[in-house]
Amino acid sequence: VIFATIMFTLWLINYDPTYAYPNACETPTTGFPHGKCRSDDIRTTERIVTPMFRLLPTVNLFEALFMIAVVGYVKTSVPEAVLALVAEKVDIGPLSPFGDMWAGTAMKCLAVQGVFFFTAIFVLEFMYSRPSLRQFRCFTRFLMPRGARGAELISSDSLADASVEQTRRRVMTVTPDDVAVRLHEVEKVYCS
């Protein structure tokens, strides 16, 4: 939400609905040969920061939902005659939430990110489940639940030490009446 708010604030500073290119204030026109930005530095910052922030799906989701809400609010609040009058003087584009001026770009980024993350998870799951790809397991180690990682490590007899066996014997001798919580099958996890 913070990145989306920063991106929206940078966009809003230079947004000018009376200009021929409301979202691109640096674009020259006949009346404004150098564009019509309120702040060139902020526009430069916006053009640098926006692509980096768009890499995060949450930023795109927040922007898409916000712009869909704005278009819905404008359509229900502003009379058609006023919208037609504004459209004659200013190029606001089609009042569709899926237009590039509104939520279209964010939704396209979300679609691309959805395909990318689905493919990445599919490839990682495939790599982890294949015994022939054991050398790549170091990359997928974070996907394993903590218990599964411990079970895999402790099953190796070369890693078990005397303290593990001693703890197992001590746990097995405790009866439920002796303690409030009884641990069963304790395993020592060796982190590498």
Side-chain angles (χ1 to χ4, degrees):
V1 174
I2 294 170
F3 292 139
T5 306
I6 291 170
M7 196 169 76
F8 177 72
T9 305
L10 292 173
W11 170 79
L12 192 61
I13 289 172
N14 283 317
Y15 181 77
D16 186 1
T18 62
Y19 191 56
Y21 304 98
N23 289 334
C25 63
E26 75 281 355
T27 307
T29 61
T30 54
F32 300 96
H34 299 292
K36 191 181 176 188
C37 290
R38 290 186 183 98
S39 172
D40 290 329
D41 293 337
I42 289 180
R43 179 62 182 160
T44 303
T45 304
E46 177 192 354
R47 292 181 71 183
I48 293 170
V49 167
T50 299
M52 290 189 301
F53 286 175
R54 284 210 186 276
L55 295 174
L56 300 171
T58 52
V59 171
N60 295 315
L61 180 65
F62 180 77
E63 182 186 354
L65 291 176
F66 180 76
M67 289 300 188
I68 289 170
V70 166
V71 170
Y73 179 75
V74 167
K75 282 184 172 181
T76 58
S77 312
V78 180
E80 289 287 330
V82 174
L83 283 176
L85 183 65
V86 170
E88 289 176 7
K89 298 186 180 209
V90 180
D91 180 25
I92 59 172
L95 258 174
S96 167
F98 306 111
D100 283 340
M101 186 171 179
W102 303 102
T105 304
M107 293 177 76
K108 288 175 189 172
C109 289
L110 275 173
V112 169
Q113 288 168 343
V115 169
F116 172 75
F117 286 121
F118 176 78
T119 305
I121 293 298
F122 183 77
V123 167
L124 288 174
E125 284 291 327
F126 176 76
M127 285 174 57
Y128 185 74
S129 65
R130 303 284 298 172
S132 61
L133 299 174
R134 279 194 183 271
Q135 67 268 20
F136 297 112
R137 285 200 177 189
C138 59
F139 298 116
T140 60
R141 188 172 193 85
F142 63 92
L143 295 176
M144 295 172 56
R146 184 175 287 271
R149 189 174 6 185
E152 179 182 299
L153 288 176
I154 202 65
S155 65
S156 173
D157 292 334
S158 62
L159 294 176
D161 60 9
S163 65
V164 174
E165 283 304 316
Q166 187 180 20
T167 305
R168 279 191 183 145
R169 273 187 261 121
R170 188 173 47 234
V171 167
M172 296 308 287
T173 60
V174 175
T175 62
D177 297 334
D178 295 338
V179 290
V181 177
R182 181 176 183 228
L183 301 177
H184 186 66
E185 294 186 20
V186 177
E187 297 173 348
K188 187 171 186 178
V189 177
Y190 296 86
C191 297
S192 57

